[in-house]
Amino acid sequence: MTIRSALLIFAAASASSVAPAQVGPTSQEPLIPVTTASLPKIVVPEPITNPTYTPDADTQSDVDGAADSVAPQIVKPTGDLSSLVAQLRGPDAGSRELECLAVGIYFESKSEPLAGQLAVGEVIANRANSNGRFPSTYCGVLFQRGQFSFIRGRSLPTVSRSNRQWQTAVAIAKIVDQDLKDSAAENALFFHAKRVSPGWRLKRVASIGNHVFYR
């Protein structure tokens, strides 16, 4: 037997005397029951709620600017005829149409009581709203040929704007135009002074001041 053979035999004998390797846990590392095992904690995120919106300074200024740009609501004047006239009296009618209406009221009834001036204004307005029987505007009614004696040509007669009677006529024109007060001659289309008797075959509506009104 050679030395090499002897060494191989010795190595084989030594390997057979070694204990087999253990694949299970040792006595120093006992098994931990599942019921007592410590599991990692899972963090559940809080639900997201709708946040309260707070505009920044620039956005808030835009909102405030939009609110400021809203026109204030116009409140119509109220009260009896005298109170309405006091609230609306002024030198400027505000438009060409209202000026025509005020001129008609002024020259036909400036010395009449307020109710008489209102009735004259109603006649002009009723004609403008007569669906084609008369011209469809206040100025058209005034300039219709042969209807109002104070009209000369195509120009309105001059009136001093500081005249209190003119300012009253302006107020009456606004009252008629905005339909703020009913008149006793509400449906009238014609009128004449009491000093004349034209013999019209029309329905008499009212007699106010120095005028008689007809439909």
mmCIF file with all atom_site columns, all heavy atoms in Angstrom, residues 56-75:
data_model
loop_
_atom_site.group_PDB
_atom_site.id
_atom_site.type_symbol
_atom_site.label_atom_id
_atom_site.label_alt_id
_atom_site.label_comp_id
_atom_site.label_asym_id
_atom_site.label_entity_id
_atom_site.label_seq_id
_atom_site.pdbx_PDB_ins_code
_atom_site.Cartn_x
_atom_site.Cartn_y
_atom_site.Cartn_z
_atom_site.occupancy
_atom_site.B_iso_or_equiv
_atom_site.pdbx_formal_charge
_atom_site.auth_seq_id
_atom_site.auth_comp_id
_atom_site.auth_asym_id
_atom_site.auth_atom_id
_atom_site.pdbx_PDB_model_num
ATOM 1   N N   . ASP A 1 56 ? -56.323 84.025  -2.319  1.00 0.00 ? 56 ASP A N   1
ATOM 2   C CA  . ASP A 1 56 ? -55.183 84.854  -1.984  1.00 0.00 ? 56 ASP A CA  1
ATOM 3   C C   . ASP A 1 56 ? -55.520 86.319  -2.206  1.00 0.00 ? 56 ASP A C   1
ATOM 4   O O   . ASP A 1 56 ? -56.619 86.671  -2.628  1.00 0.00 ? 56 ASP A O   1
ATOM 5   C CB  . ASP A 1 56 ? -53.945 84.444  -2.797  1.00 0.00 ? 56 ASP A CB  1
ATOM 6   C CG  . ASP A 1 56 ? -54.225 84.473  -4.301  1.00 0.00 ? 56 ASP A CG  1
ATOM 7   O OD1 . ASP A 1 56 ? -55.107 85.240  -4.711  1.00 0.00 ? 56 ASP A OD1 1
ATOM 8   O OD2 . ASP A 1 56 ? -53.567 83.730  -5.045  1.00 0.00 ? 56 ASP A OD2 1
ATOM 9   N N   . ALA A 1 57 ? -54.590 87.163  -1.930  1.00 0.00 ? 57 ALA A N   1
ATOM 10  C CA  . ALA A 1 57 ? -54.849 88.609  -1.970  1.00 0.00 ? 57 ALA A CA  1
ATOM 11  C C   . ALA A 1 57 ? -55.254 89.060  -3.365  1.00 0.00 ? 57 ALA A C   1
ATOM 12  O O   . ALA A 1 57 ? -56.181 89.850  -3.535  1.00 0.00 ? 57 ALA A O   1
ATOM 13  C CB  . ALA A 1 57 ? -53.613 89.378  -1.491  1.00 0.00 ? 57 ALA A CB  1
ATOM 14  N N   . ASP A 1 58 ? -54.558 88.525  -4.396  1.00 0.00 ? 58 ASP A N   1
ATOM 15  C CA  . ASP A 1 58 ? -54.859 88.953  -5.766  1.00 0.00 ? 58 ASP A CA  1
ATOM 16  C C   . ASP A 1 58 ? -56.246 88.515  -6.177  1.00 0.00 ? 58 ASP A C   1
ATOM 17  O O   . ASP A 1 58 ? -57.023 89.265  -6.766  1.00 0.00 ? 58 ASP A O   1
ATOM 18  C CB  . ASP A 1 58 ? -53.808 88.374  -6.735  1.00 0.00 ? 58 ASP A CB  1
ATOM 19  C CG  . ASP A 1 58 ? -52.429 88.985  -6.509  1.00 0.00 ? 58 ASP A CG  1
ATOM 20  O OD1 . ASP A 1 58 ? -52.382 90.095  -5.944  1.00 0.00 ? 58 ASP A OD1 1
ATOM 21  O OD2 . ASP A 1 58 ? -51.431 88.351  -6.896  1.00 0.00 ? 58 ASP A OD2 1
ATOM 22  N N   . THR A 1 59 ? -56.588 87.230  -5.853  1.00 0.00 ? 59 THR A N   1
ATOM 23  C CA  . THR A 1 59 ? -57.914 86.729  -6.213  1.00 0.00 ? 59 THR A CA  1
ATOM 24  C C   . THR A 1 59 ? -58.996 87.499  -5.484  1.00 0.00 ? 59 THR A C   1
ATOM 25  O O   . THR A 1 59 ? -60.025 87.848  -6.041  1.00 0.00 ? 59 THR A O   1
ATOM 26  C CB  . THR A 1 59 ? -58.006 85.232  -5.873  1.00 0.00 ? 59 THR A CB  1
ATOM 27  O OG1 . THR A 1 59 ? -56.958 84.531  -6.528  1.00 0.00 ? 59 THR A OG1 1
ATOM 28  C CG2 . THR A 1 59 ? -59.356 84.671  -6.315  1.00 0.00 ? 59 THR A CG2 1
ATOM 29  N N   . GLN A 1 60 ? -58.763 87.776  -4.179  1.00 0.00 ? 60 GLN A N   1
ATOM 30  C CA  . GLN A 1 60 ? -59.769 88.503  -3.401  1.00 0.00 ? 60 GLN A CA  1
ATOM 31  C C   . GLN A 1 60 ? -59.989 89.900  -3.950  1.00 0.00 ? 60 GLN A C   1
ATOM 32  O O   . GLN A 1 60 ? -61.108 90.395  -3.987  1.00 0.00 ? 60 GLN A O   1
ATOM 33  C CB  . GLN A 1 60 ? -59.332 88.583  -1.925  1.00 0.00 ? 60 GLN A CB  1
ATOM 34  C CG  . GLN A 1 60 ? -60.401 89.184  -1.012  1.00 0.00 ? 60 GLN A CG  1
ATOM 35  C CD  . GLN A 1 60 ? -61.654 88.334  -0.979  1.00 0.00 ? 60 GLN A CD  1
ATOM 36  O OE1 . GLN A 1 60 ? -61.585 87.118  -0.842  1.00 0.00 ? 60 GLN A OE1 1
ATOM 37  N NE2 . GLN A 1 60 ? -62.807 88.969  -1.126  1.00 0.00 ? 60 GLN A NE2 1
ATOM 38  N N   . SER A 1 61 ? -58.919 90.535  -4.425  1.00 0.00 ? 61 SER A N   1
ATOM 39  C CA  . SER A 1 61 ? -59.072 91.878  -4.983  1.00 0.00 ? 61 SER A CA  1
ATOM 40  C C   . SER A 1 61 ? -59.882 91.840  -6.257  1.00 0.00 ? 61 SER A C   1
ATOM 41  O O   . SER A 1 61 ? -60.661 92.753  -6.535  1.00 0.00 ? 61 SER A O   1
ATOM 42  C CB  . SER A 1 61 ? -57.690 92.492  -5.246  1.00 0.00 ? 61 SER A CB  1
ATOM 43  O OG  . SER A 1 61 ? -56.989 91.738  -6.228  1.00 0.00 ? 61 SER A OG  1
ATOM 44  N N   . ASP A 1 62 ? -59.715 90.736  -7.062  1.00 0.00 ? 62 ASP A N   1
ATOM 45  C CA  . ASP A 1 62 ? -60.525 90.604  -8.268  1.00 0.00 ? 62 ASP A CA  1
ATOM 46  C C   . ASP A 1 62 ? -61.993 90.448  -7.916  1.00 0.00 ? 62 ASP A C   1
ATOM 47  O O   . ASP A 1 62 ? -62.874 91.023  -8.549  1.00 0.00 ? 62 ASP A O   1
ATOM 48  C CB  . ASP A 1 62 ? -60.058 89.390  -9.086  1.00 0.00 ? 62 ASP A CB  1
ATOM 49  C CG  . ASP A 1 62 ? -58.666 89.596  -9.670  1.00 0.00 ? 62 ASP A CG  1
ATOM 50  O OD1 . ASP A 1 62 ? -58.242 90.777  -9.741  1.00 0.00 ? 62 ASP A OD1 1
ATOM 51  O OD2 . ASP A 1 62 ? -58.010 88.607  -10.031 1.00 0.00 ? 62 ASP A OD2 1
ATOM 52  N N   . VAL A 1 63 ? -62.272 89.630  -6.870  1.00 0.00 ? 63 VAL A N   1
ATOM 53  C CA  . VAL A 1 63 ? -63.659 89.430  -6.439  1.00 0.00 ? 63 VAL A CA  1
ATOM 54  C C   . VAL A 1 63 ? -64.257 90.739  -5.951  1.00 0.00 ? 63 VAL A C   1
ATOM 55  O O   . VAL A 1 63 ? -65.385 91.098  -6.277  1.00 0.00 ? 63 VAL A O   1
ATOM 56  C CB  . VAL A 1 63 ? -63.724 88.347  -5.340  1.00 0.00 ? 63 VAL A CB  1
ATOM 57  C CG1 . VAL A 1 63 ? -65.131 88.258  -4.768  1.00 0.00 ? 63 VAL A CG1 1
ATOM 58  C CG2 . VAL A 1 63 ? -63.293 86.995  -5.906  1.00 0.00 ? 63 VAL A CG2 1
ATOM 59  N N   . ASP A 1 64 ? -63.487 91.459  -5.131  1.00 0.00 ? 64 ASP A N   1
ATOM 60  C CA  . ASP A 1 64 ? -63.983 92.737  -4.616  1.00 0.00 ? 64 ASP A CA  1
ATOM 61  C C   . ASP A 1 64 ? -64.221 93.719  -5.741  1.00 0.00 ? 64 ASP A C   1
ATOM 62  O O   . ASP A 1 64 ? -65.204 94.467  -5.742  1.00 0.00 ? 64 ASP A O   1
ATOM 63  C CB  . ASP A 1 64 ? -62.989 93.329  -3.611  1.00 0.00 ? 64 ASP A CB  1
ATOM 64  C CG  . ASP A 1 64 ? -62.881 92.474  -2.351  1.00 0.00 ? 64 ASP A CG  1
ATOM 65  O OD1 . ASP A 1 64 ? -63.817 91.691  -2.106  1.00 0.00 ? 64 ASP A OD1 1
ATOM 66  O OD2 . ASP A 1 64 ? -61.880 92.588  -1.630  1.00 0.00 ? 64 ASP A OD2 1
ATOM 67  N N   . GLY A 1 65 ? -63.314 93.717  -6.733  1.00 0.00 ? 65 GLY A N   1
ATOM 68  C CA  . GLY A 1 65 ? -63.479 94.630  -7.865  1.00 0.00 ? 65 GLY A CA  1
ATOM 69  C C   . GLY A 1 65 ? -64.719 94.305  -8.664  1.00 0.00 ? 65 GLY A C   1
ATOM 70  O O   . GLY A 1 65 ? -65.434 95.201  -9.116  1.00 0.00 ? 65 GLY A O   1
ATOM 71  N N   . ALA A 1 66 ? -65.002 92.986  -8.834  1.00 0.00 ? 66 ALA A N   1
ATOM 72  C CA  . ALA A 1 66 ? -66.207 92.589  -9.566  1.00 0.00 ? 66 ALA A CA  1
ATOM 73  C C   . ALA A 1 66 ? -67.453 93.027  -8.815  1.00 0.00 ? 66 ALA A C   1
ATOM 74  O O   . ALA A 1 66 ? -68.434 93.474  -9.405  1.00 0.00 ? 66 ALA A O   1
ATOM 75  C CB  . ALA A 1 66 ? -66.210 91.076  -9.779  1.00 0.00 ? 66 ALA A CB  1
ATOM 76  N N   . ALA A 1 67 ? -67.423 92.905  -7.474  1.00 0.00 ? 67 ALA A N   1
ATOM 77  C CA  . ALA A 1 67 ? -68.580 93.326  -6.686  1.00 0.00 ? 67 ALA A CA  1
ATOM 78  C C   . ALA A 1 67 ? -68.795 94.826  -6.783  1.00 0.00 ? 67 ALA A C   1
ATOM 79  O O   . ALA A 1 67 ? -69.924 95.310  -6.858  1.00 0.00 ? 67 ALA A O   1
ATOM 80  C CB  . ALA A 1 67 ? -68.384 92.908  -5.220  1.00 0.00 ? 67 ALA A CB  1
ATOM 81  N N   . ASP A 1 68 ? -67.670 95.569  -6.794  1.00 0.00 ? 68 ASP A N   1
ATOM 82  C CA  . ASP A 1 68 ? -67.796 97.021  -6.877  1.00 0.00 ? 68 ASP A CA  1
ATOM 83  C C   . ASP A 1 68 ? -68.327 97.471  -8.234  1.00 0.00 ? 68 ASP A C   1
ATOM 84  O O   . ASP A 1 68 ? -68.937 98.534  -8.346  1.00 0.00 ? 68 ASP A O   1
ATOM 85  C CB  . ASP A 1 68 ? -66.434 97.676  -6.625  1.00 0.00 ? 68 ASP A CB  1
ATOM 86  C CG  . ASP A 1 68 ? -65.969 97.479  -5.186  1.00 0.00 ? 68 ASP A CG  1
ATOM 87  O OD1 . ASP A 1 68 ? -66.834 97.192  -4.334  1.00 0.00 ? 68 ASP A OD1 1
ATOM 88  O OD2 . ASP A 1 68 ? -64.761 97.595  -4.932  1.00 0.00 ? 68 ASP A OD2 1
ATOM 89  N N   . SER A 1 69 ? -68.100 96.643  -9.271  1.00 0.00 ? 69 SER A N   1
ATOM 90  C CA  . SER A 1 69 ? -68.515 97.046  -10.613 1.00 0.00 ? 69 SER A CA  1
ATOM 91  C C   . SER A 1 69 ? -69.996 96.822  -10.864 1.00 0.00 ? 69 SER A C   1
ATOM 92  O O   . SER A 1 69 ? -70.530 97.265  -11.868 1.00 0.00 ? 69 SER A O   1
ATOM 93  C CB  . SER A 1 69 ? -67.703 96.272  -11.655 1.00 0.00 ? 69 SER A CB  1
ATOM 94  O OG  . SER A 1 69 ? -68.003 94.893  -11.599 1.00 0.00 ? 69 SER A OG  1
ATOM 95  N N   . VAL A 1 70 ? -70.681 96.091  -9.975  1.00 0.00 ? 70 VAL A N   1
ATOM 96  C CA  . VAL A 1 70 ? -72.112 95.858  -10.141 1.00 0.00 ? 70 VAL A CA  1
ATOM 97  C C   . VAL A 1 70 ? -72.867 97.156  -9.866  1.00 0.00 ? 70 VAL A C   1
ATOM 98  O O   . VAL A 1 70 ? -72.699 97.772  -8.810  1.00 0.00 ? 70 VAL A O   1
ATOM 99  C CB  . VAL A 1 70 ? -72.598 94.743  -9.194  1.00 0.00 ? 70 VAL A CB  1
ATOM 100 C CG1 . VAL A 1 70 ? -74.106 94.570  -9.312  1.00 0.00 ? 70 VAL A CG1 1
ATOM 101 C CG2 . VAL A 1 70 ? -71.883 93.444  -9.495  1.00 0.00 ? 70 VAL A CG2 1
ATOM 102 N N   . ALA A 1 71 ? -73.694 97.551  -10.821 1.00 0.00 ? 71 ALA A N   1
ATOM 103 C CA  . ALA A 1 71 ? -74.422 98.804  -10.674 1.00 0.00 ? 71 ALA A CA  1
ATOM 104 C C   . ALA A 1 71 ? -75.459 98.688  -9.561  1.00 0.00 ? 71 ALA A C   1
ATOM 105 O O   . ALA A 1 71 ? -76.119 97.658  -9.427  1.00 0.00 ? 71 ALA A O   1
ATOM 106 C CB  . ALA A 1 71 ? -75.114 99.165  -11.996 1.00 0.00 ? 71 ALA A CB  1
ATOM 107 N N   . PRO A 1 72 ? -75.614 99.708  -8.749  1.00 0.00 ? 72 PRO A N   1
ATOM 108 C CA  . PRO A 1 72 ? -76.620 99.649  -7.689  1.00 0.00 ? 72 PRO A CA  1
ATOM 109 C C   . PRO A 1 72 ? -78.023 99.623  -8.272  1.00 0.00 ? 72 PRO A C   1
ATOM 110 O O   . PRO A 1 72 ? -78.282 100.164 -9.341  1.00 0.00 ? 72 PRO A O   1
ATOM 111 C CB  . PRO A 1 72 ? -76.380 100.961 -6.906  1.00 0.00 ? 72 PRO A CB  1
ATOM 112 C CG  . PRO A 1 72 ? -75.693 101.860 -7.886  1.00 0.00 ? 72 PRO A CG  1
ATOM 113 C CD  . PRO A 1 72 ? -74.872 100.971 -8.764  1.00 0.00 ? 72 PRO A CD  1
ATOM 114 N N   . GLN A 1 73 ? -78.904 98.937  -7.590  1.00 0.00 ? 73 GLN A N   1
ATOM 115 C CA  . GLN A 1 73 ? -80.279 98.832  -8.053  1.00 0.00 ? 73 GLN A CA  1
ATOM 116 C C   . GLN A 1 73 ? -80.979 100.186 -7.924  1.00 0.00 ? 73 GLN A C   1
ATOM 117 O O   . GLN A 1 73 ? -80.886 100.848 -6.906  1.00 0.00 ? 73 GLN A O   1
ATOM 118 C CB  . GLN A 1 73 ? -81.028 97.774  -7.245  1.00 0.00 ? 73 GLN A CB  1
ATOM 119 C CG  . GLN A 1 73 ? -82.451 97.523  -7.734  1.00 0.00 ? 73 GLN A CG  1
ATOM 120 C CD  . GLN A 1 73 ? -83.122 96.417  -6.945  1.00 0.00 ? 73 GLN A CD  1
ATOM 121 O OE1 . GLN A 1 73 ? -82.550 95.897  -6.003  1.00 0.00 ? 73 GLN A OE1 1
ATOM 122 N NE2 . GLN A 1 73 ? -84.334 96.071  -7.323  1.00 0.00 ? 73 GLN A NE2 1
ATOM 123 N N   . ILE A 1 74 ? -81.663 100.570 -8.997  1.00 0.00 ? 74 ILE A N   1
ATOM 124 C CA  . ILE A 1 74 ? -82.367 101.842 -9.014  1.00 0.00 ? 74 ILE A CA  1
ATOM 125 C C   . ILE A 1 74 ? -83.750 101.652 -8.393  1.00 0.00 ? 74 ILE A C   1
ATOM 126 O O   . ILE A 1 74 ? -84.513 100.790 -8.807  1.00 0.00 ? 74 ILE A O   1
ATOM 127 C CB  . ILE A 1 74 ? -82.495 102.381 -10.447 1.00 0.00 ? 74 ILE A CB  1
ATOM 128 C CG1 . ILE A 1 74 ? -81.101 102.606 -11.046 1.00 0.00 ? 74 ILE A CG1 1
ATOM 129 C CG2 . ILE A 1 74 ? -83.320 103.660 -10.472 1.00 0.00 ? 74 ILE A CG2 1
ATOM 130 C CD1 . ILE A 1 74 ? -81.118 103.036 -12.493 1.00 0.00 ? 74 ILE A CD1 1
ATOM 131 N N   . VAL A 1 75 ? -84.047 102.462 -7.391  1.00 0.00 ? 75 VAL A N   1
ATOM 132 C CA  . VAL A 1 75 ? -85.335 102.373 -6.708  1.00 0.00 ? 75 VAL A CA  1
ATOM 133 C C   . VAL A 1 75 ? -86.240 103.477 -7.229  1.00 0.00 ? 75 VAL A C   1
ATOM 134 O O   . VAL A 1 75 ? -85.869 104.654 -7.252  1.00 0.00 ? 75 VAL A O   1
ATOM 135 C CB  . VAL A 1 75 ? -85.146 102.508 -5.176  1.00 0.00 ? 75 VAL A CB  1
ATOM 136 C CG1 . VAL A 1 75 ? -86.493 102.432 -4.473  1.00 0.00 ? 75 VAL A CG1 1
ATOM 137 C CG2 . VAL A 1 75 ? -84.208 101.431 -4.671  1.00 0.00 ? 75 VAL A CG2 1
#
